[in-house]
């Protein structure tokens, strides 16, 4: 009976230690007070100031404007206004969930793939299929 009590105590101690370690683990998502969350405005694509022309999948598009919103709850939204060769503007909005590791955000897009970006001060840079988007808060 004494042996079962000792084993029970050890198992209980391991459980408490595990809960303590996981409670102390650094959170992947921002609290909103660390400065990386907020709305960033698109300032350049592939090093060219916006508005800018890009070629994507063989089609030349004009990138007119854009914003990238990073929320403290682990979600983000990209809004971009394009003008295809027809000339009519098209607004595209996509959302993702993200994890943060230091300055790097890894974004898993809804119904799409994964991209990474970095936050440095008030700048957010994202490589999307070889196109580099730079945003400023």
């Amino acid at each position: 009976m004494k042996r079962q009590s000792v084993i029970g105590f050890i198992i209980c101690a391991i459980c408490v230690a595990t809960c303590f370690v996981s409670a102390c683990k650094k959170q992947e998502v921002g609290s909103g007070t660390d400065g990386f969350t907020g709305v960033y405005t698109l300032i350049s694509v592939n090093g060219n100031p916006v508005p800018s022309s890009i070629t994507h999948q063989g089609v030349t598009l004009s990138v007119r404007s854009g914003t990238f919103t990073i929320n403290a709850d682990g979600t983000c939204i990209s809004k971009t206004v394009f003008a295809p060769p027809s000339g009519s503007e098209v607004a595209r909005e996509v959302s993702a969930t993200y994890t943060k590791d230091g300055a790097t955000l890894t974004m898993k897009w809804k119904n799409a793939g994964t991209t990474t970006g970095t936050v440095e001060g008030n700048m957010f840079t994202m490589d999307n299929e070889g196109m580099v988007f730079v945003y400023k808060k």
Side-chain angles (χ1 to χ4, degrees), residues 71-114:
N71 300 307
D73 66 356
T75 62
C76 54
I77 300 169
S78 172
K79 296 179 186 177
T80 309
V81 177
F82 297 96
S86 68
S88 301
E89 284 189 355
V90 176
R92 182 170 186 252
E93 181 175 318
V94 291
S95 61
T97 57
Y98 71 85
T99 55
K100 185 175 182 292
D101 183 16
T104 302
L105 266 62
T106 302
M107 296 149 288
K108 173 61 180 138
W109 298 97
K110 185 176 182 179
N111 301 320
T114 302

Side-chain angles (χ1 to χ4, degrees), residues 1-14:
M1 185 70 150
K2 186 175 182 181
R3 180 182 156 131
Q4 288 176 334
S5 295
V6 171
I7 292 172
F9 176 78
I10 292 171
I11 291 172
C12 186
I14 291 171

Side-chain angles (χ1 to χ4, degrees), residues 2-80:
K2 186 175 182 181
R3 180 182 156 131
Q4 288 176 334
S5 295
V6 171
I7 292 172
F9 176 78
I10 292 171
I11 291 172
C12 186
I14 291 171
C15 289
V16 169
T18 302
C19 290
F20 179 77
V21 169
S22 59
C24 294
K25 182 181 176 188
K26 182 180 176 187
Q27 295 295 313
E28 300 269 340
V29 176
S31 64
T33 59
D34 58 7
F36 79 90
T37 59
V39 179
Y40 295 77
T41 302
L42 183 63
I43 60 171
S44 71
V45 179
N46 293 335
N48 299 311
V50 172
S52 176
S53 291
I54 61 166
T55 301
H56 182 64
Q57 297 179 347
V59 177
T60 299
L61 302 170
S62 174
V63 179
R64 302 280 172 91
S65 64
T67 58
F68 195 91
T69 304
I70 303 172
N71 300 307
D73 66 356
T75 62
C76 54
I77 300 169
S78 172
K79 296 179 186 177
T80 309

